[in-house]
Amino acid sequence: MKKSITALASALVTCFAGGLSASAAPPIEVYGNLPGVWGLDISPSGSRYAYFSQQGGKEYFVIAEDGKGVIGGGGTGDIKARSIFFATENYAIVIASETASTNFFKGKWENSSAFSFNIEKEKFVTLLKGFDQLYPGQSGLGRIIGRLAGEDKVFMPAYIGEYGSRATYGLLKSRLDIASAVIESKGAQDTVDWFVNNQGVILAREDYDDDSKAYRIWTGKTGGLNKIYESKARADGRLDVSVYGVMPDESGLVVFSSTEEDEFASVSKMDFTGQVSGPLFTQTEYSIDSVLRDGNRRVIGVEYAGMRPLYEFFDAGLTNDMYELANLFPDDAVHLVGWTEDLAKVLVKVEGGATSPGFYRFDRNQRQLARLASSYPEISDADVNPVMTIEYKARDGRKIPALITMPVGKSLGAEPLPLIVMPHGGPESYDALGFDWMAQYFASRGYMVLQPNFRGSYGFGREHREAGYGEWGGKMQDDVTDGVELLLRKNWADANRTCIIGGSYGGYAALAGGAYTPDLYKCVAAIAPVADLPEFMKWKRNNAGSNSSVLAYWTRLIGDRKDDAEKLAAISPVNAAANFTAPVLLLHGDDDTVVPRLHSQRMESALKAAGKDVRYVKLKGEDHWLSGSETRLQTLRELDRFVKETIGGN
């Protein structure tokens, strides 16, 4: 009989990182820099590990092996590392990006690439670099969608064709040892994705025509490429079915399945005749956060969204093991981040309100759990500020899930605390239990932090998400306001020391808070905010096309740029600069390809013209996501100084 994980808790071993001890609150650099260890992956056999490490302001990729320690790696240089994983036992893949521009097109985009690292020879190769038929100016060149069994080759999709031609999205077979690739299939002009097994068989090709809204699935499982499914997207561009992966035994495809009546979407099986059956998993009252897939996108299970992750796998034993691991860390979130080919060993990341965030390996056969590395080695368990989940009612009765991070040693309600309100970005994202570096920093300095999952947030069902459609600056903003006012009524927060800080959509919400509830906040800070909604919608139309699914998506969320023109202007903070009473801090990366820096520039100009207190900081070389340690730390220092100057320290 297998031992329980709980029984082995006292035998927890630390491998890469030493034990942690309590100390005074860590310095700002500990929070502002990128984590000391992140992106951990395990090799197919389970004997090697790949991860990124940040030391002294520089970033490295590292390969380690059981019993040997570090066996390879190097600096990442100026590229922005995004992920690292094993293609084979001897090849690690680093996915990285850089902000690019070209004479062919206007503007900038985030261009990704895949780099192969031969562990034994310590040799780097940029994949697809030697392939001369790539269409110029495309992004997403770092995608690896399949691995070829017994060979050092991977499958990668890319647009093929000369500039000025109508490119096709082809399937390429790329060598890992040299920058060479061959075309496996050219695809069609409306091809959007490929699914291939480790023998090179094309299990699925997805096509979607943005003009006709026609969606098709083809398969080469039965010889040749045969169409097995066809439908049309709804008026708003959404599909009832789309491919997520492949069944573990390759008996069919795993497809996303949803109708307008479904509160929670599910995943189902589509066989290779196009017949759909399911759902495949039993938890039908949770939003699916992600479908978990191996290197050939064979599905092993799903992660459900919520304040704490919940897992379900085809392997029922793994489902039970993840449940038991979650019980071992009741105040934290346990995330599955990697596994061996046979699922005998899994990697999890534990983070939340009680444990310093770190990575653990669980050997399912030996029933042994080992701590491998700490994400923030200088933050002890005792330094972690407790995070609690709450739920409050908005003014119309809607239930709003939220997080509150409290300073260590402080009790909710014991005294009114200075408050930082942090609405998330997206807006179809959500805040869940975990280690939020910015929230943890401000809590470590004595501030209470509120993170509301306002309507429009993902993860709490279709109705909650769709209740936010068209409610930018309206009910979505009311949900944030109602959470703040609740804390003030209960005397948990100090009404004279309340600040709102957000990034992306959260930056819009921060500016909207300053514009439309000016008496509520004593300071407003916005990172890469949307400030001018008509301008944002115009930019989306120009970049994606007036009939595109991208524009349809943003129209659904915000409103029609023509029919709702007056409304969009009225809920744009740039047009309400005269309303502001609180000082404003704006921060924006000059390489932002998601929200143009123009928004912060126009907001600054409008506030200055209205005679308001505003400061704008351009983050040199930074993108939309605060990817660099230097600029992330700069951002945190600017916020820290701004908050202290406006509502004081604690």
Side-chain angles (χ1 to χ4, degrees), residues 501-621:
I501 300 173
S504 195
Y505 171 82
Y508 167 83
L511 293 175
Y516 309 123
T517 53
D519 296 333
L520 195 58
Y521 302 108
K522 305 307 177 187
C523 63
V524 174
I527 307 163
V530 177
D532 186 335
L533 293 179
E535 172 61 33
F536 184 73
M537 294 301 291
K538 176 184 174 182
W539 180 70
K540 286 294 182 184
R541 181 205 64 191
N542 291 343
N543 279 273
S546 58
N547 193 40
S548 68
S549 55
V550 172
L551 184 62
Y553 170 80
W554 286 104
T555 299
R556 185 165 69 243
L557 261 63
I558 299 175
D560 187 273
R561 64 183 185 87
K562 291 183 178 179
D563 295 343
D564 301 316
E566 290 186 12
K567 176 187 174 183
L568 297 188
I571 59 173
S572 294
V574 72
N575 297 324
N579 295 352
F580 281 77
T581 59
V584 176
L585 174 64
L586 300 165
L587 302 107
H588 215 128
D590 61 2
D591 279 346
D592 195 326
T593 59
V594 178
V595 178
R597 188 162 53 93
L598 175 68
H599 286 263
S600 287
Q601 293 170 326
R602 287 188 175 179
M603 193 71 228
E604 179 197 26
S605 296
L607 288 165
K608 282 185 173 179
K612 304 301 179 179
D613 184 348
V614 59
R615 182 165 180 260
Y616 168 51
V617 178
K618 181 176 72 172
L619 303 173
K620 186 178 180 181

Side-chain angles (χ1 to χ4, degrees), residues 76-269:
T76 59
D78 295 330
I79 63 173
K80 290 176 278 192
R82 301 299 184 186
S83 64
I84 186 167
F85 58 89
F86 286 94
T88 68
E89 195 70 21
N90 195 44
Y91 280 93
I93 304 293
V94 174
I95 305 295
S97 72
E98 59 182 350
T99 307
S101 61
T102 178
N103 293 331
F104 291 122
F105 309 106
K106 293 181 180 179
K108 299 178 178 181
W109 70 93
E110 201 65 19
N111 187 36
S112 65
S113 298
F115 302 88
S116 163
F117 180 69
N118 186 313
I119 298 169
E120 303 300 333
K121 296 181 179 179
E122 296 191 346
K123 179 185 176 183
F124 246 132
V125 170
T126 304
L127 301 184
L128 300 186
K129 187 176 181 180
F131 185 71
D132 60 4
Q133 297 181 55
L134 292 176
Y135 192 81
Q138 63 179 295
S139 60
L141 282 176
R143 290 188 69 209
I144 293 178
I145 61 169
R147 305 167 190 180
L148 199 59
E151 298 187 47
D152 293 333
K153 296 175 182 177
V154 293
F155 294 99
M156 304 177 70
Y159 286 101
I160 301 169
E162 297 180 356
Y163 176 65
S165 66
R166 291 197 65 182
T168 62
Y169 198 53
L171 179 66
L172 308 181
K173 183 165 63 178
S174 175
R175 289 178 58 171
L176 294 172
D177 57 342
I178 59 175
S180 173
V182 296
I183 299 173
E184 285 291 292
S185 182
K186 289 187 176 181
Q189 290 178 342
D190 56 358
T191 296
V192 294
D193 207 355
W194 299 86
F195 295 80
V196 58
N197 70 8
N198 61 11
Q199 301 301 313
V201 177
I202 296 171
L203 300 177
R205 189 187 85 190
E206 283 185 292
D207 295 350
Y208 179 71
D209 187 322
D210 226 0
D211 293 325
S212 68
K213 309 304 179 188
Y215 172 75
R216 303 177 184 90
I217 301 174
W218 306 73
T219 186
K221 177 77 170 179
T222 52
L225 273 178
N226 302 302
K227 184 172 65 176
I228 59 172
Y229 181 84
E230 183 171 5
S231 67
K232 281 210 168 187
R234 304 172 203 164
D236 59 10
R238 287 183 290 183
L239 297 167
D240 289 336
V241 167
S242 58
V243 182
Y244 266 21
V246 180
M247 291 290 292
D249 60 359
E250 296 185 6
S251 61
L253 306 173
V254 176
V255 297
F256 171 86
S257 179
S258 175
T259 69
E260 293 186 10
E261 292 74 33
D262 292 335
E263 173 67 1
F264 297 95
S266 60
V267 293
S268 303
K269 176 182 177 179

